[in-house]
Amino acid sequence: MLSAGDKNSKIVIIGDYPDNEDVFDRTSFQGTSGRLLFDIALAAGITRSECYTTYFFKAKMSEKEMNEIFDLKTRKVANPLLFNVALETLKTELSYLKPNLIVTLGEVPFYALTSLKNVYKWRGSILKSSLLPGMKIIPTICPRVTFQRKAKG
C-alpha cells in the first residue's frame, strides 16, 4: 500500500502519489522529495518515526496520468469514478488512525480532505477537514514541486 509509520502517530502526512523510489522500496517518501520533507520536519523537531505517511493515489503515475483524474490547472476532478475510489480508500485508511493532525502535500490531497482549491493560497493554514469532520489539516506544497521548479530553471 506504500504507507509507513506507526498507526498510533499523531501526525499523518499525505502526498499525491508515490515516485519511482517509493515503489522500488515499497514504502512512502523514500525518494529525494521524501528526504527533503523529513529534513525540513527534523529542523522543526519532528522525526520520521513520529509520523504515519501515505498517498492519495496508491499507485505510481505520471503527472499526466494524475491530471486525467484530477486536473491541476483547473483544480477540478476530471474522472470522478477514479477520484472517488482513491478518496474512499484513503478515508478507510484514515479511519483506522487517530491522528491529531494531517499534513497534505499538494493540490490533490488538499482538495480531497478540505474541498478547497489552491494549496498555494492556503498553505500553512490550520483548517478543518470536510472529509473527516473535526480533523485538523495543514496544507502545503509537495516537495516534488520544489525539485520540478528548480529543474525548469
Side-chain angles (χ1 to χ4, degrees):
M1 180 177 268
L2 293 172
S3 299
D6 182 350
K7 291 182 175 29
N8 295 311
S9 296
K10 296 297 180 196
I11 301 170
V12 172
I13 299 173
I14 305 172
D16 45 16
Y17 59 90
D19 64 19
N20 289 333
E21 292 170 272
D22 298 329
V23 172
F24 180 79
D25 290 335
R26 299 191 55 74
T27 190
S28 52
F29 298 98
Q30 293 301 306
T32 307
S33 60
R35 287 189 294 277
L36 174 61
L37 170 67
F38 283 103
D39 285 349
I40 293 168
L42 190 57
I46 300 167
T47 64
R48 180 183 282 268
S49 64
E50 294 176 85
C51 303
Y52 178 88
T53 58
T54 191
Y55 292 101
F56 182 78
F57 295 114
K58 305 302 184 192
K60 184 200 175 301
M61 60 181 62
S62 67
E63 193 166 318
K64 180 181 183 281
E65 291 168 319
M66 187 179 71
N67 273 298
E68 291 171 0
I69 302 170
F70 185 91
D71 188 318
L72 290 173
K73 287 183 182 172
T74 63
R75 297 184 174 100
K76 292 184 180 176
V77 175
N79 185 324
L81 177 64
L82 293 179
F83 185 87
N84 287 332
V85 166
L87 184 65
E88 286 304 313
T89 301
L90 180 66
K91 186 175 181 180
T92 299
E93 179 181 9
L94 294 174
S95 73
Y96 291 105
L97 309 172
K98 301 293 181 222
N100 183 43
L101 173 70
I102 297 175
V103 178
T104 59
L105 304 177
E107 197 69 46
V108 176
F110 168 61
Y111 175 78
L113 272 80
T114 65
S115 299
L116 297 171
K117 298 178 182 180
N118 195 352
V119 70
Y120 292 96
K121 175 182 174 185
W122 293 98
R123 68 181 171 166
S125 300
I126 300 173
L127 305 170
K128 291 184 181 177
S129 175
S130 59
L131 180 67
L132 304 166
M135 182 57 57
K136 292 180 286 192
I137 308 293
I138 296 181
T140 192
I141 59 172
C142 180
R144 184 183 302 123
V145 172
T146 304
F147 292 111
Q148 289 170 344
R149 286 189 172 179
K150 282 184 179 181
K152 289 180 181 178

